[in-house]
Amino acid sequence: MYQIKREMGCSIEDLTRWLPQALGELYSSASLDLNGKVLLQAQNPLVEISGFSRPSRKIALLNIPVLELKLVFAQSLSPSQVEQALNRFDLYTRRGGG
């Protein structure tokens, strides 16, 4: 089992909107539990995502929501499959500016 922790600068609504693209083929085999509420549940999940909302960060007039996530990947996935899934997840969920 592979377990990864992430602190995300997004709301629950943002994450649920991004998740189908962020997980790609794994989306249909995923479960999602945020703040104790099951939002997505697969029969035999290959990836389980759980987390909690944390107090938002305030920078001047900007409030940034914070989600603390734990992603757990099934042992049936190889290290390269997990790495590939995490790279895709990061690509679709990172915000950028500039």
Side-chain angles (χ1 to χ4, degrees), residues 67-85:
L67 278 179
E68 190 174 293
L69 296 182
K70 179 173 71 171
L71 293 87
V72 179
F73 292 89
Q75 285 184 313
S76 61
L77 296 174
S78 71
S80 65
Q81 288 174 307
V82 171
E83 182 179 354
Q84 187 176 22

Side-chain angles (χ1 to χ4, degrees), residues 11-51:
S11 67
I12 291 173
E13 293 78 17
D14 291 334
L15 182 65
T16 55
R17 189 176 60 249
W18 298 336
L19 212 52
Q21 290 293 329
L23 292 178
E25 294 177 4
L26 289 178
Y27 182 73
S28 61
S29 300
S31 66
L32 178 63
D33 180 326
L34 296 174
N35 293 331
K37 184 176 178 182
V38 176
L39 301 175
L40 181 65
Q41 189 169 14
Q43 190 75 10
N44 295 306
L46 293 176
V47 60
E48 297 176 50
I49 303 171
S50 60

Side-chain angles (χ1 to χ4, degrees), residues 50-98:
S50 60
F52 293 94
S53 297
R54 297 293 180 213
S56 61
R57 291 201 174 104
K58 187 169 179 144
I59 302 170
L61 296 176
L62 180 64
N63 281 317
I64 301 172
V66 177
L67 278 179
E68 190 174 293
L69 296 182
K70 179 173 71 171
L71 293 87
V72 179
F73 292 89
Q75 285 184 313
S76 61
L77 296 174
S78 71
S80 65
Q81 288 174 307
V82 171
E83 182 179 354
Q84 187 176 22
L86 282 173
N87 288 339
R88 181 183 177 110
F89 181 83
D90 288 341
L91 176 69
Y92 280 90
T93 59
R94 284 197 179 140
R95 292 182 179 181

